[in-house]
Structures are given as structure tokens and as C-alpha cells.
Amino acid sequence: MSVVNVYVATNIRGVGKKKGKFIYLLETETSKGPATIHHIQDIEATKDVAELTALAIATARIKKSCELNVYVTSEQLMHNLRHFLSRWAKNNYCRSDGRRLSCWQLWKTVYENTSICDMRVYNKSHSYSKWLLKQL
């Protein structure tokens, strides 16, 4: 099974919705060595929504099952992906009180894009950490 690494970052800081950018980088091994692709986009959102949007767009590129390693800078996003994503999917992207998640379409997209993968999520620095932020 192939291994795909997805790295996401944003230049949005602090609390609340702000204008900024996000970036994602996908990396995988090919017969010719490592291959990467990245994308930068403007957005007006919170930090977590910017990274979730980047992840939704990045994972749309995954077309076959793989070992998926996701690197995010948001601890809350990591926690939600690890512990709540599959539960939210089973509950039609609603909270335990029955209210819809505010970004339920993004969560649904990420779930659908990654359901064929064995996904692990990390919140730690990596070999692309400085490069991602420099690009923003």
C-alpha cells in the first residue's frame, strides 16, 4: 500500500475569522523517487477552518487506498480528526445535541476523501514546516 503525506498550514493566527492564506503539500513515493504537489489559496476563515479547507482540497486528489499521514498545525483540528470525524459521519455531521456542525460540508468532504485510507493525524513539526510558512 502506498504512503501519502499531507501537510497543511495557514498564516491565519489568533481567534476569529480573518483574511489569510492556506497551503497544502502532498507527498508520495513513486518509482522515480518522491513526488510532491502543493497549492496556495486565499481564504477568509478561522485558523482551523482554513486548515480543514486545505485538507478537504488536498485529500480530493487521493484516488486509491493508502496509508495517509496528515500533518496539521492546529491541535483542535488534530483532536477532531482523530476522535470525532467518524462519529460525526455516523451522526450525519451533527453534534450530540442534534445541531449540525458549522462546517459540516468540509467535514463530510474530508471523511469521504479519506475513508478509503488508513489515516493518522499529527500535530508536530516536520521537514516541510518552515517551507510551508515561508510560501505563505
Side-chain angles (χ1 to χ4, degrees):
M1 185 179 298
S2 64
V3 176
V4 176
N5 299 313
V6 178
Y7 307 91
V8 299
T10 183
N11 61 0
I12 298 173
R13 299 289 175 252
V15 179
K17 194 175 186 179
K18 299 179 177 124
K19 289 184 179 181
K21 296 180 183 213
F22 67 75
I23 186 170
Y24 73 76
L25 183 139
L26 270 82
E27 174 187 52
T28 191
E29 277 293 321
T30 69
S31 59
K32 298 178 182 179
T36 62
I37 187 166
H38 72 280
H39 175 75
I40 301 170
Q41 187 171 318
D42 292 324
I43 192 168
E44 185 171 351
T46 64
K47 175 184 175 167
D48 288 353
V49 171
E51 287 196 17
L52 182 60
T53 302
L55 184 58
I57 294 169
T59 56
R61 301 184 69 91
I62 298 171
K63 302 299 181 200
K64 60 182 180 177
S65 64
C66 65
E67 291 180 23
L68 178 62
N69 298 306
V70 174
Y71 295 84
V72 297
T73 63
S74 165
E75 286 187 41
Q76 184 63 47
L77 183 56
M78 176 192 69
H79 181 76
N80 289 340
L81 288 164
R82 281 183 179 175
H83 301 289
F84 294 110
L85 181 58
S86 60
R87 186 181 316 167
W88 288 337
K90 290 176 188 168
N91 293 326
N92 200 26
Y93 305 95
C94 293
R95 300 176 190 275
S96 57
D97 63 6
R99 291 182 305 139
R100 271 274 164 115
L101 298 171
S102 60
C103 298
W104 71 272
Q105 298 98 332
L106 288 172
W107 289 110
K108 181 179 181 189
T109 299
V110 169
Y111 181 78
E112 289 173 350
N113 292 347
T114 62
S115 64
I116 60 172
C117 302
D118 178 17
M119 182 170 70
R120 292 177 202 84
V121 185
Y122 305 98
N123 171 250
K124 62 182 181 179
S125 61
H126 47 76
S127 59
Y128 292 105
S129 294
K130 290 180 183 177
W131 183 87
L132 291 172
L133 294 176
K134 184 179 176 185
Q135 300 307 305
L136 296 171

